[in-house]
Amino acid sequence: MSRKILQIQNLTKDFPSKKTTVHALSDVSFDVYEGETIGIVGESGCGKTTLGRCIVKAVTATDGHVIYTNKEGKDFDFLNVNRKTMKTLRKEIQMIFQNPYSSLDPRMTVFDIIKEPIIANYPKLSYDKVEEMVIDIASKVGLNVTYLKRYPHAFSGGQRQRIGIARALVLKPEVIVCDEAVSALDVSIQSQVINLLKDLQRDMNLTYLFISHDLSVVEYISDRVGVMYLGKMVEFAPTTKLFEQVRHPYTEALLSAVPIADPDIVMERIQLQGEIPNPANPPTGCYFHTRCHYCQEKCKVEVPVLQMVSEEHYVACHFVKELKLKSILDYTQAENVKG
Ligand SMILES: Nc1ncnc2c1ncn2[C@@H]1O[C@H](COP(=O)(O)OP(=O)(O)OP(=O)(O)O)[C@@H](O)[C@H]1O
Ligand code: SF4
Ligand SMILES: [Mg+2]
């Protein structure tokens, strides 16, 4: 059994302002095992980036725990460690950001961009050693090492994302949070970068938290998937189970909008009613009740908790036992295929 590398427990993040408080993340819990890829999906504003930023401690969570277990089996709670310990732990957990255009400093050469984390963590390392580390990781991510003294503007979007990946990997971390890491790229470049991430995962034994609003990409890359709605985890399951035996009405609606490669299959798209509610003023009961096709009176008053419905499959819905939801499998069956 592989190591439980991260335990996210009741993670909560509020952003208070003078007038109101945005509840960006509410009581999110799941475990991450060494070497796996967890996909995190959900509409814009549901808290995906906040979850990633709380995990790498780019922002401090309001409540909860992020427990990292190192190779020696020692546990560290990111929310309770001192600055010095956090500095060493940070090397193990890195984040790759969405926009390869704005996340790289245009005044620094690519060599200096990749070098920066090494200097910050090992200021006394010899120049030769630093150069060796930069060249090693640059070639691993498929960058032409003779171009490293150039500036980011001389590189294409896909190459810039490779620079961001090299920078995140140069200290050989264990966990990478990829926040919409391929969303800004053309589809053909997207698949190159996704395959690169998969190869690096195998070669460097990396663990990924892969945040994306693109369910097709998440299905392709993830071992398990978490679906978020308004700061909460509403469904969490192994990828195949989630796509073939969907159990939460919100996931059902999201999946119904995923394009299917087979033109003979006609999916019935579930149109979500209304707007996403304001996370500063979430609905009572089940947060999804204002848009759910299956809503009943109980949903408006009682909060459903995330519970196990079958092996490794967790759902937060009062009527999970009664509902018969449609998944991709139902549409691929003969009677649903045209002609
Ligand atoms: N620094 C901040 N201050 C105040 N509110 C914030 C801050 N960061 C995020 N939020 C709010 O928290 C909620 C969750 O935002 P977050 O960026 O995590 O969503 P997301 O799922 O990543 O969305 P997207 O798909 O658009 O990237 C949103 O309502 C957002 O406006
Ligand atoms: S608890 Fe009710 S409103 Fe919420 S997802 Fe389930 S059926 Fe829909
Ligand atoms: Mg985001």
Side-chain angles (χ1 to χ4, degrees), residues 85-324:
T85 313
M86 194 60 218
K87 193 175 174 203
T88 47
L89 295 176
R90 227 180 262 287
K91 288 191 284 238
E92 302 299 347
I93 305 203
Q94 295 284 324
M95 195 152 173
I96 301 171
F97 296 95
Q98 171 164 9
N99 195 332
Y101 295 91
S102 62
S103 56
L104 304 175
D105 188 336
R107 294 157 304 178
M108 288 169 78
T109 66
V110 171
F111 185 89
D112 287 342
I113 288 172
I114 302 175
K115 181 183 85 172
E116 207 180 30
I118 313 177
I119 305 297
N121 284 282
Y122 304 104
K124 292 186 181 142
L125 219 56
S126 73
Y127 182 84
D128 285 355
K129 182 65 193 162
V130 173
E131 188 176 37
E132 185 191 317
M133 288 168 77
V134 172
I135 290 176
D136 178 55
I137 197 67
S139 34
K140 270 205 180 88
V141 304
L143 285 169
N144 185 335
V145 295
T146 57
Y147 295 163
L148 294 182
K149 290 292 159 78
R150 297 185 181 182
Y151 291 85
H153 66 79
F155 292 81
S156 68
Q159 287 167 330
R160 285 186 208 205
Q161 200 51 300
R162 286 172 197 263
I163 300 168
I165 295 170
R167 184 186 152 90
L169 293 185
V170 72
L171 295 177
K172 299 202 177 351
E174 291 209 83
V175 182
I176 304 280
V177 176
C178 306
D179 187 8
E180 305 278 5
V182 297
S183 309
L185 306 174
D186 291 345
V187 174
S188 62
I189 310 292
Q190 257 190 15
S191 50
Q192 284 174 18
V193 175
I194 289 168
N195 289 329
L196 169 68
L197 288 169
K198 279 195 152 191
D199 291 346
L200 292 167
Q201 179 171 44
R202 191 192 53 227
D203 297 346
M204 298 175 74
N205 194 29
L206 297 166
T207 304
Y208 289 143
L209 199 74
F210 194 89
I211 295 169
S212 178
H213 63 271
D214 185 335
L215 276 125
S216 313
V217 170
V218 166
E219 182 185 15
Y220 178 66
I221 199 165
S222 312
D223 300 300
R224 296 190 293 155
V225 180
V227 181
M228 290 182 62
Y229 187 76
L230 224 61
K232 292 191 179 196
M233 193 67 83
V234 296
E235 185 160 8
F236 194 89
T239 310
T240 319
K241 265 199 173 181
L242 189 99
F243 280 77
E244 295 183 356
Q245 299 164 40
V246 60
R247 301 294 298 273
H248 194 283
Y250 177 60
T251 318
E252 183 194 39
L254 284 186
L255 291 181
S256 78
V258 177
I260 294 186
D262 187 339
D264 286 340
I265 297 170
V266 189
M267 292 261 305
E268 186 188 329
R269 189 168 175 158
I270 300 170
Q271 206 73 44
L272 286 175
Q273 310 156 0
E275 295 291 310
I276 307 174
N278 180 354
N281 185 21
T284 54
C286 172
Y287 280 8
F288 187 53
H289 89 252
T290 54
R291 300 170 81 199
C292 182
H293 289 266
Y294 310 97
C295 175
Q296 300 188 33
E297 280 312 307
K298 183 180 181 182
C299 309
K300 298 177 186 168
V301 284
E302 269 184 50
V303 180
V305 291
L306 194 72
Q307 54 179 326
M308 195 160 91
V309 294
S310 68
E311 201 187 348
E312 291 191 82
H313 198 155
Y314 298 83
V315 180
C317 170
H318 293 307
F319 297 98
V320 64
K321 289 201 182 93
E322 290 86 347
L323 294 177
K324 296 270 173 287

Side-chain angles (χ1 to χ4, degrees), residues 61-72:
T62 310
D63 206 354
H65 304 278
V66 175
I67 298 166
Y68 161 67
T69 307
N70 74 5
K71 289 192 183 98
E72 288 74 42

